[in-house]
Amino acid sequence: MSFAKIKGELTSRKGQTVRFGAPQDVHKKQGSAAHGKIIDEVWADERINRSQPHKQSCRKHCWGDYSFCSQLIKWNNPTEDGEHSIRLAYYRRRCGEDWWEFASQMTVTADCKTVRKLLEVTLEKAKWFCNPPVVP
């Protein structure tokens, strides 16, 4: 699977189309891929999107830059879950390269109600967000 390379700064993906290929079991039932458009988004830290890329010679355990976002998608072919879903995604820029790629092929994407519940119960785990996390 190949994704478009985004040269230079990682800019807004609003208006971009998305395609989710159907799993094999869905294909067997004559189901098809889902197509939609990103209609809104937020980024964890937009400064990363504008930063200079790492040098190829950076630390041996450096994986490059990762930029995390949440995207609201409006589907062209609504499912029983509705016309919209939220995708928690990320883009990656490797050390020594000046382009970003969509890197979260297996990402959290679900109806808005499910994502809201997941985020709410995660945020209730306030001790997880301490440095270091406090584990019961």
Side-chain angles (χ1 to χ4, degrees):
M1 178 171 277
S2 176
F3 294 100
K5 294 181 178 180
I6 303 162
K7 181 85 169 135
E9 289 186 13
L10 179 55
T11 58
S12 173
R13 309 321 298 154
K14 286 184 204 175
Q16 298 292 314
T17 58
V18 294
R19 178 186 181 280
F20 285 31
Q24 289 184 4
D25 60 314
V26 174
H27 275 296
K28 288 179 184 176
K29 297 185 293 186
Q30 307 304 313
S32 61
H35 298 85
K37 185 180 285 193
I38 299 168
I39 60 172
D40 203 7
E41 67 188 4
V42 292
W43 296 87
D45 184 354
E46 289 189 61
R47 293 174 300 171
I48 293 169
N49 301 2
R50 296 184 298 275
S51 67
Q52 292 297 309
H54 290 237
K55 294 187 166 116
Q56 182 65 40
S57 61
C58 62
R59 300 177 330 273
K60 70 179 183 177
H61 294 293
C62 180
W63 290 21
D65 293 307
Y66 286 76
S67 188
F68 297 89
C69 64
S70 295
Q71 298 169 325
L72 180 63
I73 298 169
K74 181 171 180 15
W75 296 108
N76 298 339
N77 46 344
T79 67
E80 61 241 18
D81 290 332
E83 292 185 22
H84 296 86
S85 65
I86 296 172
R87 172 169 76 177
L88 305 178
Y90 64 92
Y91 293 78
R92 178 177 183 229
R93 179 174 57 190
R94 293 177 185 87
C95 297
E97 296 179 350
D98 188 24
W99 61 81
W100 294 87
E101 291 181 283
F102 182 76
S104 48
Q105 293 85 343
M106 303 294 191
T107 189
V108 175
T109 305
D111 62 279
C112 300
K113 182 178 176 184
T114 299
V115 173
R116 179 180 181 153
K117 181 63 176 176
L118 175 61
L119 295 175
E120 286 173 349
V121 297
T122 301
L123 290 170
E124 286 174 6
K125 294 288 193 174
K127 293 181 179 184
W128 286 8
F129 299 99
C130 297
N131 191 11
V134 178
V135 181

